[in-house]
Amino acid sequence: TTTATETETEEQGLEIDPEKGSWYQESHVAGSGLAVASGSDDAHDAEEGTSPQQRYSTSSFLRASRPTVGECLDHVPEEEQADLCLDVYNMFFLSDVGSQGFFYSIFIFVIKIVLYTLLLLDLVHNKRIPSVEVVEVSPIVQIAQAFLMPVAILMQEELITSFFIFSHLKYSPSVRKRHPGAYKWKYYAAHSARFVDGMIFLFINICVMLLQVSDVLGLFLNFAALMFLQTVDNIALQVCLDGYWTRSLQKTAKDVVDMKMAYRHHYVHRCLQTSFVVIVWIALFGFWLAVHFSAGGS
């Protein structure tokens, strides 16, 4: 008896090997009639003895024969589809485990964490972490810090994007029709890493902000000086799109541009997103009050 999955597979021109349990697709490349199996030993054997041009043609054929984004999300109305954020976190989500895109995105994340760690170590080493013992802070600087705090939250791109994703977007297994490596655990791992990135950067920004006790201009300059760090992951994807690295990374970056996710735009999800921002602002405002108006403060 033909199952629904098998019927869908036949419609897409795919076959399931009952012995290996992998997805196969027959393609005739350059008149050679090679059977290409993505991710299997047969694919490697088939590529042996072929020229680089033939192998690239085979890869291009397989990518072109994948289900379209619309076919993956045919159960989702077009107005309920959202673009992915153009960064390496979504490269990690869509790429196959062990692929160039997979390791490249991890490498960029590690770079950002290392930079954050160096900043934090410098603050600790020089005993510049804000505490309730801060004194002699200009009132005008205190006012500027209070008003700059919500701005700092809203400008943390990774944090705000995480709030949007957690409240509005939902994982759809049908994405794997086009991207077999887009597992659910990778979806949550990618966006959890994005959230950690945003929270660490926000903490560093607030610490540096509270260290400025003399003039408002210095406060603004310190705040602006750190903003470049949050764009590292976006730039890392852009250089892939522009073809500075390998062809494989460029294709993965293009997948991020093309792919969409199911979008929940109900009122409750909008309230949830706003609640995340308010909770973070209340926590930081409480920290600011403790620094400036505790018994040991100014």
Side-chain angles (χ1 to χ4, degrees):
T1 303
T2 304
T3 64
T5 303
E6 291 171 342
T7 302
E8 182 181 2
T9 302
E10 291 175 358
E11 292 176 354
Q12 297 174 4
L14 299 172
E15 298 177 1
I16 299 179
D17 188 324
E19 295 181 358
K20 298 182 180 180
S22 58
W23 295 85
Y24 273 67
Q25 183 163 23
E26 297 293 331
S27 64
H28 296 280
V29 181
S32 61
L34 295 174
V36 180
S38 177
S40 66
D41 292 337
D42 292 336
H44 177 73
D45 296 339
E47 287 187 352
E48 290 185 355
T50 61
S51 66
Q53 291 80 4
Q54 285 179 311
R55 289 195 291 271
Y56 176 64
S57 178
T58 302
S59 174
S60 300
F61 177 87
L62 290 176
R63 290 179 61 84
S65 60
R66 298 179 304 175
T68 64
V69 174
E71 291 171 345
C72 292
L73 298 176
D74 56 0
H75 61 289
V76 181
E78 186 174 352
E79 62 273 13
E80 296 183 5
Q81 297 178 14
D83 295 326
L84 295 180
C85 184
L86 303 184
D87 55 32
V88 295
Y89 295 106
N90 282 315
M91 285 186 69
F92 174 85
F93 167 52
L94 295 180
S95 62
D96 294 328
V97 176
S99 65
Q100 292 183 23
F102 179 82
F103 289 113
Y104 177 76
S105 54
I106 293 176
F107 174 68
I108 298 300
F109 176 71
V110 170
I111 286 179
K112 295 190 73 174
I113 295 301
V114 168
L115 293 175
Y116 294 160
T117 302
L118 292 175
L119 277 171
L120 289 171
L121 288 176
D122 179 70
L123 292 174
V124 173
H125 178 72
N126 295 297
K127 298 181 179 181
R128 296 168 62 186
I129 292 291
S131 68
V132 295
E133 298 180 354
V134 175
V135 294
E136 298 298 332
V137 180
S138 169
I140 192 173
V141 171
Q142 292 182 1
I143 296 173
Q145 290 174 349
F147 279 93
L148 194 57
M149 204 166 299
V151 176
I153 296 173
L154 295 177
M155 290 188 64
Q156 305 307 311
E157 181 181 350
E158 309 305 342
L159 193 62
I160 295 299
T161 302
S162 298
F163 293 159
F164 172 80
I165 291 172
F166 293 149
S167 57
H168 286 287
L169 300 189
K170 57 183 177 180
Y171 174 81
S172 178
S174 59
V175 172
R176 294 191 60 204
K177 294 179 182 179
R178 181 175 175 86
H179 303 287
Y183 296 102
K184 190 173 185 178
W185 70 266
K186 288 177 64 189
Y187 176 80
Y188 287 110
H191 299 312
S192 296
R194 183 202 306 278
F195 175 76
V196 171
D197 178 350
M199 286 300 296
I200 295 177
F201 186 51
L202 178 61
F203 175 75
I204 293 175
N205 239 328
I206 295 300
C207 287
V208 173
M209 184 191 308
L210 294 179
L211 288 172
Q212 182 62 40
V213 298
S214 58
D215 63 281
V216 176
L217 180 60
L219 175 66
F220 289 165
L221 291 176
N222 287 339
F223 180 79
L226 296 176
M227 286 296 106
F228 80 95
L229 286 175
Q230 71 175 351
T231 64
V232 170
D233 52 292
N234 305 83
I235 295 173
L237 180 132
Q238 187 61 49
V239 296
C240 292
L241 278 175
D242 293 340
Y244 284 98
W245 306 136
T246 66
R247 188 172 287 158
S248 175
L249 289 176
Q250 186 179 37
K251 291 177 180 178
T252 304
K254 289 181 178 178
D255 286 338
V256 175
V257 175
D258 296 337
M259 197 60 205
K260 298 179 182 293
M261 297 294 290
Y263 173 66
R264 299 174 291 195
H265 56 83
H266 301 295
Y267 177 75
V268 64
H269 299 112
R270 187 177 296 110
C271 291
L272 182 62
Q273 178 183 8
T274 304
S275 299
F276 288 147
V277 176
V278 172
I279 290 172
V280 172
W281 178 79
I282 291 175
L284 293 180
F285 188 70
F287 180 51
W288 176 81
L289 290 175
V291 168
H292 291 302
F293 301 103
S294 64
S298 59

